[in-house]
Amino acid sequence: MPLFYRPTQRVKKTLLGGGAMVVLAALNAPAALSFAQDRYHAYTIGRPAYKARYGSWDRVSIPERFRTNAIHAALLRTGKVLIVAGSGNDEEHFDAGTFDTVLWDPDAGTFKKIGTPEDFFCGGHAALPDGRLLVAGGTARYEVLGDEVRHAGGGMRVKNENPDKPLTLRKGTVFTSPAGAEYVSKFDVTVPKAKRAFEVDYDRSGAMKPWKTRVTASERRVFVEAVEEGPQAVTGKAAQYRIRGLTGKAADNAYGLAERISMDKQDFQGIRAAYEFDPVAEKYVPVAPMKEARWYPTLVGLDDGRVLAVSGLDDVGEILAGGNEIYDPRTKKWSKGPFRYFPTYPALFLTKGGKLFYPGANAGYGPADKGRVPGLWDPEKNTFTEVGGLTDADELETAAALMLPPAQDQKVMVLGGGGVGESGRSTSRTAVADLTKARPVFERGPDLPQGTRYLNSVLMPDDTVFTTGGSRDYRGRGASNILKAQFYDPATGRLTAAADPTVGRNYHSEALLLPDGRVATFGSDSLYGDKANTRLGTFEQRMEVYTPPALHRGNGVRPVIGKGPESVTRGGSASYAVEGSERIATARLMRPSAVTHTTDVEQRSVELGLKRKPGRVTVTVPEDPALVPPGWYMLFLTDTRGTPSVAKWVRVG
């Protein structure tokens, strides 16, 4: 199929013949009609009455040098947005070691390039109690499709039986099979010292025998490729491999083990690297790496401020079997977490009692029959209680999911989604699970206007949910981007229309709430650039910001939070100067987003106790750390007309 359109000879002759003017007029009529319709639409959406009912969209002006492929977006406690591309799903950037991060200041309208030490493309992120952003995982290798594989490859388990020192093998180390085939490692690998244990035994008289020493080899995996092209290096048999360059005792203590090396498709591979992004210094700070390499992981904050890293593709491109780990921001180190399997980028929400709710929503990799069932996971006991009632349960990949506001209601919603992998199926289903019930089940919500994958959903200060974008088909195939937006109201259970965006968003897109109450949208990575799927797509680098209807009403008058504390304890209160305090209806703490691949487990909205007196408002924070995990939040006050204040940043300890 050609990648461009070429007119047929019949069309050429018609255009050049005597009836050319008639044909051209006919061809131009639809364009003229479209132009008139566009002008009328622009007039309609620009009217104050329209904006006051539906809101409005504005493009963000981005200097060319700061345009990037937004794979991840996170709001920092400074009010700036960290936009992380890494290699940006561009293999040429990966090969060149060109990794990108841009810091956007929505208030000043400025952009800044941030030095990016690793390829964080498709890593994970979560806010830490001090306002830093933990970023972990990313890309070690791009996938190689089956018909492009030239060298047999697979995972090599490197063993070290030396209890006295670790073993470090550099990228390019050669492993030789018993048959003489040679394989080259694609990454550096360090194998810890072997474990030495002393065994004590006694004879029949009770006297202690001389101690015996038992050594248990340590191991790490590394991806290897055959030196020679072709299938001759393929093997499905377990074997021990010699390591070139090691001699004598060192050669006896170290060796490789591989069970299967094939010409199959080679998936993306993850990295172990972890960093904290400092929002004040505006730089990445390295911390201890994870034990497991992870690509497409979810990082979710726990009620004590630690962060759980779950799932991902490992260092040889296989989905992790369930080896999760926990980061402690006080020690800057990782420890072993509860063992449980999830597909990649699972949506996990912290609920009362410290349990994590998995609504089944995920993005990407994993078999269709494993880890797809929703349920409540208790990480302490490592128990999992299934939650049923969900229709279209086989269409949860690329679904949106969120904890509905306020968090005290303990309701989690899923919206849309599609079939596993490159399926063209999508669903309009929404559903809500009430976790306060003894036996929670999903109950059907209102249908979306059409089947939708990659829908971005954002919690708003007035307790509504703003949803926008998505596509009907996988990665927008068939020009299926959905230029629609809507609000969901948990109080009424209804969807209402919002102004239509002008930029389509599907895979690799994000949306998040800004401190001024607007919503910013980024990214999109369409597979194709035309309806016939004959032209490759390009990454969408334009940004749009949505202004909700409330900010178009009342001549721009909105509550203003004046002087007051920047920190408050759980169970404690804080008082703020507020002019017109008698008109304040609600107070919310809103945790800033860290979103990628339709997955945003960070955002939550917490209802605060509210007392008013002339010129002042006093708010009270709930005591439960599972409702209000430690960290920085946006404090929004909303008046009786539904108009929110600009947020004040408050730290909850």
Side-chain angles (χ1 to χ4, degrees):
M1 182 177 291
L3 296 179
F4 54 90
Y5 171 72
R6 179 182 289 118
T8 64
Q9 291 298 316
R10 179 177 298 176
V11 172
K12 288 181 181 178
K13 290 179 180 178
T14 303
L15 290 175
L16 295 175
M21 294 300 295
V22 176
V23 173
L24 285 172
L27 289 173
N28 283 329
L33 178 61
S34 175
F35 176 75
Q37 290 173 336
D38 289 346
R39 289 291 299 271
Y40 181 74
H41 179 66
Y43 165 75
T44 300
I45 65 176
R47 296 175 62 193
Y50 180 93
K51 293 180 179 181
R53 182 175 181 182
Y54 299 106
S56 64
W57 290 89
D58 295 287
R59 297 270 181 89
V60 176
S61 177
I62 310 172
E64 186 171 356
R65 67 181 293 258
F66 295 111
R67 296 171 192 170
T68 192
N69 294 356
I71 307 295
H72 312 263
L75 178 64
L76 306 174
R77 71 170 182 86
T78 57
K80 298 179 182 180
V81 179
L82 193 71
I83 303 169
V84 183
S87 57
N89 204 19
D90 187 323
E91 197 165 359
E92 290 185 3
H93 289 172
F94 176 81
D95 292 340
T98 304
F99 309 141
D100 202 19
T101 300
V102 172
L103 191 63
W104 172 45
D105 186 337
D107 286 340
T110 57
F111 297 84
K112 176 182 177 181
K113 287 273 190 179
I114 302 294
T116 309
E118 307 275 356
D119 189 5
F120 295 130
F121 168 59
C122 293
H125 28 60
L128 297 173
D130 65 357
R132 294 189 180 207
L133 183 75
L134 176 65
V135 181
T139 303
R141 173 190 172 99
Y142 271 61
E143 69 180 355
V144 183
L145 301 179
D147 59 353
E148 297 175 354
V149 174
R150 299 290 178 262
H151 299 260
M156 180 72 68
R157 293 159 53 205
V158 184
K159 307 285 280 191
N160 181 16
E161 294 184 353
N162 186 346
D164 297 321
K165 64 179 182 178
L167 171 71
T168 297
L169 301 177
R170 298 301 180 192
K171 174 182 177 180
T173 296
V174 176
F175 294 80
T176 306
S177 75
E182 294 184 334
Y183 304 84
V184 178
S185 65
K186 305 305 292 183
F187 309 100
D188 294 347
V189 60
T190 297
V191 190
K193 295 185 293 184
K195 293 182 179 179
R196 179 190 282 122
F198 297 99
E199 295 180 344
V200 179
D201 197 8
Y202 300 87
D203 62 22
R204 291 183 179 181
S205 67
M208 187 173 65
K209 295 180 178 180
W211 288 3
K212 293 182 180 179
T213 302
R214 179 168 56 87
V215 174
T216 302
S218 61
E219 75 172 45
R220 287 288 186 270
R221 290 196 308 177
V222 66
F223 189 80
V224 299
E225 281 186 352
V227 173
E228 294 186 18
E229 290 190 14
Q232 62 272 14
V234 169
T235 178
K237 296 181 179 180
Q240 183 168 313
Y241 294 70
R242 290 183 289 107
I243 301 174
R244 180 186 291 179
L246 299 184
T247 59
K249 194 172 182 179
D252 294 335
N253 284 334
Y255 50 90
L257 294 175
E259 296 179 357
R260 183 174 182 269
I261 296 177
S262 73
M263 298 286 290
D264 294 344
K265 173 192 172 186
Q266 296 167 1
D267 273 317
F268 282 94
Q269 295 167 11
I271 60 176
R272 295 182 174 84
Y275 287 74
E276 291 181 358
F277 185 81
D278 185 331
V280 177
E282 297 183 345
K283 66 178 182 179
Y284 290 103
V285 179
V287 296
M290 297 180 290
K291 178 183 177 183
E292 301 287 354
R294 298 180 190 273
W295 188 85
Y296 265 48
T298 290
L299 271 58
V300 57
L302 303 177
D303 56 8
D304 59 3
R306 297 180 302 160
V307 175
L308 175 65
V310 174
S311 192
L313 299 187
D314 64 14
D315 51 355
V316 297
E318 296 177 0
I319 188 168
L320 288 161
N324 307 308
E325 49 196 307
I326 297 175
Y327 179 75
D328 189 333
R330 293 167 298 182
T331 64
K332 313 294 186 187
K333 294 181 180 180
W334 298 83
S335 61
K336 187 176 181 180
F339 189 89
R340 178 159 293 277
Y341 172 90
F342 290 97
T344 56
Y345 278 138
L348 293 169
F349 298 97
L350 179 64
T351 68
K352 287 185 177 180
K355 296 181 181 179
L356 297 170
F357 182 64
Y358 169 56
N362 64 90
Y365 291 73
D369 59 351
K370 187 177 180 182
R372 304 279 174 170
V373 178
L376 264 172
W377 179 32
D378 186 334
E380 288 294 324
K381 299 178 181 177
N382 200 16
T383 57
F384 190 87
T385 305
E386 294 185 2
V387 172
L390 193 63
T391 58
D392 296 342
D394 60 342
E395 296 183 38
L396 282 167
E397 195 160 286
T398 66
L402 67 162
M403 179 173 282
L404 289 173
Q408 283 90 336
D409 289 352
Q410 295 288 281
K411 292 181 178 180
V412 175
M413 186 177 193
V414 291
L415 305 94
V420 173
E422 298 184 11
S423 167
R425 293 184 295 120
S426 60
T427 177
S428 61
R429 174 261 301 118
T430 73
V432 177
D434 184 347
L435 304 181
T436 65
K437 294 183 177 180
R439 293 186 178 180
V441 295
F442 276 101
E443 296 182 3
R444 187 83 181 220
D447 281 354
L448 298 168
Q450 65 185 91
T452 308
R453 306 175 67 126
Y454 317 105
L455 185 70
N456 277 292
S457 299
V458 179
L459 304 182
M460 303 298 288
D462 64 355
D463 286 351
T464 59
V465 177
F466 177 70
T467 71
T468 180
S471 65
R472 175 184 50 78
D473 201 347
Y474 172 78
R475 288 186 63 181
R477 279 187 307 211
S480 61
N481 281 347
I482 300 168
L483 293 174
K484 296 289 181 184
Q486 49 271 318
F487 283 97
Y488 172 73
D489 187 345
T492 64
R494 296 178 58 188
L495 286 169
T496 56
D500 298 338
T502 63
V503 178
R505 310 283 181 191
N506 55 70
Y507 183 57
H508 286 152
S509 67
E510 305 84 38
L512 53 77
L513 178 69
L514 296 173
D516 62 7
R518 298 180 301 159
V519 175
T521 61
F522 318 81
S524 191
D525 198 357
S526 295
L527 190 60
Y528 296 106
D530 63 337
K531 189 172 184 178
N533 299 331
T534 59
R535 181 162 43 88
L536 291 177
T538 57
F539 202 104
E540 178 58 73
Q541 295 186 336
R542 291 175 294 175
M543 290 166 48
E544 275 193 302
V545 173
Y546 175 74
T547 301
L551 298 184
H552 286 291
R553 303 175 192 143
N555 298 318
V557 177
R558 56 195 303 187
V560 177
I561 304 176
K563 290 184 178 180
E566 289 190 351
S567 63
V568 61
T569 58
R570 280 188 297 271
S573 298
S575 182
Y576 299 91
V578 178
E579 185 176 343
S581 56
E582 69 279 0
R583 294 191 299 273
I584 300 303
T586 63
R588 297 289 183 264
L589 281 182
M590 304 193 71
R591 194 169 176 91
S593 286
V595 58
T596 186
H597 294 74
T598 318
T599 305
D600 185 357
V601 301
E602 284 290 284
Q603 65 171 341
R604 66 172 51 213
S605 177
V606 181
E607 181 178 8
L608 302 182
L610 176 64
K611 292 182 179 180
R612 313 166 194 84
K613 62 181 182 180
R616 297 201 72 79
V617 163
T618 299
V619 298
T620 303
V621 179
E623 294 183 7
D624 188 352
L627 274 178
V628 197
W632 285 83
Y633 289 78
M634 293 180 285
L635 170 62
F636 282 100
L637 299 180
T638 300
D639 66 19
T640 52
R641 297 174 303 179
T643 306
S645 66
V646 173
K648 180 179 180 64
W649 286 96
V650 178
R651 183 175 183 178
V652 178

